[in-house]
Amino acid sequence: MTNEALKSREENNQLILDSLIDQAIFLLDSGGYVLSWNAGAEKIKGYLQSEVIGKSFSMFYPVDDVKNGKPVRDLRIAETEGRFEEEANHFRKDGSKFWASVSIFAIRDENAHTKAFVRVVRDISRARDDALALTKARELLEARVNERTKDLLRSNTELEQFAYIASHDLQTPLRHISSYVQLLTSKIRKTTVLDERTEKWVEYILSGTKQMKSLILDLLTYSRIGRVDIKVEEIDVLKLLAHVADEVREPIRVTQAKIVYDELPMIVGIRSQIEQLFQNLIENALKFKKSEIDPLVTIKCQDHGEFWMFSVSDNGIGIDSKYFERIFLMFHRLHSTDEYAGTGIGLAICKKIVEFHGGKIWVESTLGEGTVFSFILPKKERVTLTTLAKESMEAS
Amino acid sequence: MAHKTVDVLLVEDNVADADLVREAIEGGKLIINLNVVRDGEEAMEYLRAQGRFKNATRPDLVLLDLNLPKKDGREVLREVKADPDLSSIPIVVLTTSAADEDILHSYKLHANAYIEKPVEFESFIKIVNQLTEFWLSLVVLPKR
């Protein structure tokens, strides 16, 4: 190569080196003395070229490291393995510390002897600070989430106490009204014959108190879903339905109902809620039967990949399609209380249970022919509570 | 068959509930002398025949509500059953609470029986009558 070509190559190399302004790249001889310096080295380490050329590179190490022989060790590692890499604290000329990423590469000659080293130092304090800040922010966030969860659990407990006491304390005066009306009428009947109209009035009062009691209990049930009893387990639906049929055996006997089901799977969920779900649907099917026809309730299940799809169908009076959405709302009834007893919360409870399990419920029906309630339940537990909340509740 | 007067002490703070017990008892077969006190302190005074209950007769049976003002029913139960003079008096807890802890706690404190006040009136009458017939007619009680 001509001298000019050589000179221009050297200039080019220097241009390249100086453009890498965020990296200190310099040569060391085999003894660790500085042979070259680049603009990046000036910037990162704070030394001018004139201050470092010919000096030992151990000047960049902390005093203790030098005493321990670290610089020499690092070079030896580079020599034997070809490269040395580490992240450590390094010092600038003004004494300030920075977190550095250091690499030392050995340059070997034709005989594989190390004749020089290339040392590359990068200032990664920013990256490290960012990482630390991120960790801190995450810890702060988790602490806040834990606080909020604790608050939520506390207010859940308060809510449960409130709900229990409210329902309890509301039932006492109800009991008094009911009992004393009966005592009153007994007393009056001893001396006076009550006519049909008056007897009807008494009946209105008593059924009013019964209705209120049902409402209070149903509201308590509704408010409890998702707050109390959240133990998720495997449920054998066949066994569960046998249990439900037992709970509902009086209405079944009275209406001469038949409940039919074939193969039903094992599912994952909260047992008491799933029981309540099926019980409400079956009770409804029995309640809204056609007057002259014995109810037939059919329960089926289809495998839908990630979901089980259940259907509870009956041969009852059916529901007008314009009410398909409304019936799942609280207190929405399609019939008066003297036609059909009930509080109007049953289906709202069903909906809350299904949705709490991560599923959906809907209805199809033809007026005068029958109704099908369908709901999907995810096969894998998808109960909507954070793990922390669940753990805390299970622990208490 | 009971030929002498039978004395029952009812410890109940709610007047309406107390009168219901009275109604139920008066409609029953036994002739019962029913005395009512309103809180735990009065209950202890009555049982010890102290203060304004100086002339109180020792009851054959105590019907005790748990939730009472001043001294609550659980305290009364504990005190009575710990007192060698009074511990032989049968105490039946008659309360609205259905809580498992209350039931267990009461039996642990040596309540003779625990009854949950039913909400249905007819059931209430039936229970009170069954209660009194059992404790005051069927079983043999210690002489006073």
Side-chain angles (χ1 to χ4, degrees), chain A residues 164 168 171-172 174-176 178-180 182-183 210 213, chain B residues 14 16-17 19-20 23 96-97 117-122:
Chain A
Y164 179 77
H168 200 254
Q171 288 185 73
T172 301
L174 215 52
R175 187 159 41 85
H176 293 161
S178 169
S179 308
Y180 282 105
Q182 287 176 71
L183 276 172
K210 285 204 192 95
K213 183 182 162 208
Chain B
N14 187 300
D17 274 332
D19 278 358
L20 277 178
E23 285 301 318
T96 49
S97 168
K117 275 186 213 165
V119 179
E120 295 309 315
F121 182 56
E122 294 100 48

Side-chain angles (χ1 to χ4, degrees), chain A residues 162-394:
Chain A
F162 171 77
Y164 179 77
I165 291 172
S167 77
H168 200 254
D169 290 358
L170 281 170
Q171 288 185 73
T172 301
L174 215 52
R175 187 159 41 85
H176 293 161
I177 294 171
S178 169
S179 308
Y180 282 105
V181 162
Q182 287 176 71
L183 276 172
L184 257 176
T185 44
S186 297
K187 192 165 201 177
I188 295 174
R189 284 193 195 114
K190 286 196 185 127
T191 55
T192 323
V193 173
L194 292 174
D195 68 8
E196 216 179 288
R197 213 153 53 132
T198 318
E199 289 286 353
K200 243 200 300 181
W201 295 345
V202 174
E203 204 26 61
Y204 292 155
I205 298 174
L206 292 177
S207 65
T209 60
K210 285 204 192 95
Q211 181 74 357
M212 260 198 85
K213 183 182 162 208
S214 300
L215 267 168
I216 292 171
L217 292 176
D218 278 355
L219 276 173
L220 188 63
T221 305
Y222 185 86
S223 85
R224 278 186 165 158
I225 296 167
R227 280 195 299 108
V228 181
D229 189 13
I230 42 136
K231 178 163 153 256
V232 177
E233 47 185 315
E234 278 217 324
I235 302 170
D236 183 341
V237 181
L238 286 170
K239 280 210 193 118
L240 183 131
L241 278 181
H243 190 255
V244 172
D246 192 51
E247 292 282 316
V248 202
R249 68 177 177 281
E250 248 323 275
I252 291 178
R253 188 187 66 82
V254 166
T255 58
Q256 310 263 46
K258 270 215 205 42
I259 315 231
V260 177
Y261 45 93
D262 200 352
E263 273 186 37
L264 294 170
M266 297 278 288
I267 62 170
V268 171
I270 296 168
R271 186 183 301 275
S272 62
Q273 289 186 16
I274 303 293
E275 252 182 54
Q276 181 89 68
L277 172 62
F278 277 107
Q279 187 166 333
N280 283 8
L281 291 175
I282 292 174
E283 279 175 343
N284 275 0
L286 265 46
K287 205 186 337 175
F288 295 105
K289 71 182 198 73
K290 293 204 193 110
S291 48
E292 299 309 315
I293 302 184
D294 295 344
L296 172 66
V297 183
T298 315
I299 302 175
K300 291 209 188 97
C301 183
Q302 278 177 349
D303 190 332
H304 271 249
E306 281 188 23
F307 293 88
W308 292 113
M309 186 163 104
F310 287 90
S311 63
V312 179
S313 5
D314 65 53
N315 55 349
I317 58 175
I319 304 170
D320 191 327
S321 60
K322 60 178 186 252
Y323 302 124
F324 282 0
E325 307 272 313
R326 230 183 287 181
I327 54 174
F328 290 105
L329 297 174
M330 263 223 273
F331 299 127
H332 264 86
R333 312 191 66 227
L334 300 179
H335 308 275
S336 62
T337 324
D338 15 289
E339 293 178 294
Y340 296 96
T343 55
I345 303 188
L347 284 177
I349 290 176
C350 290
K351 180 164 186 269
K352 196 171 183 196
I353 290 174
V354 170
E355 286 174 4
F356 185 70
H357 282 77
K360 275 192 73 69
I361 186 169
W362 66 95
V363 67
E364 282 147 335
S365 177
T366 313
L367 255 187
E369 287 184 21
T371 307
V372 182
F373 279 95
S374 307
F375 57 93
I376 51 172
L377 293 175
K379 286 187 188 170
K380 280 221 189 79
E381 173 200 325
R382 247 195 255 170
V383 168
T384 51
L385 262 185
T386 66
T387 320
L388 180 69
K390 246 197 295 179
E391 284 167 359
S392 306
M393 276 167 118
E394 280 162 5

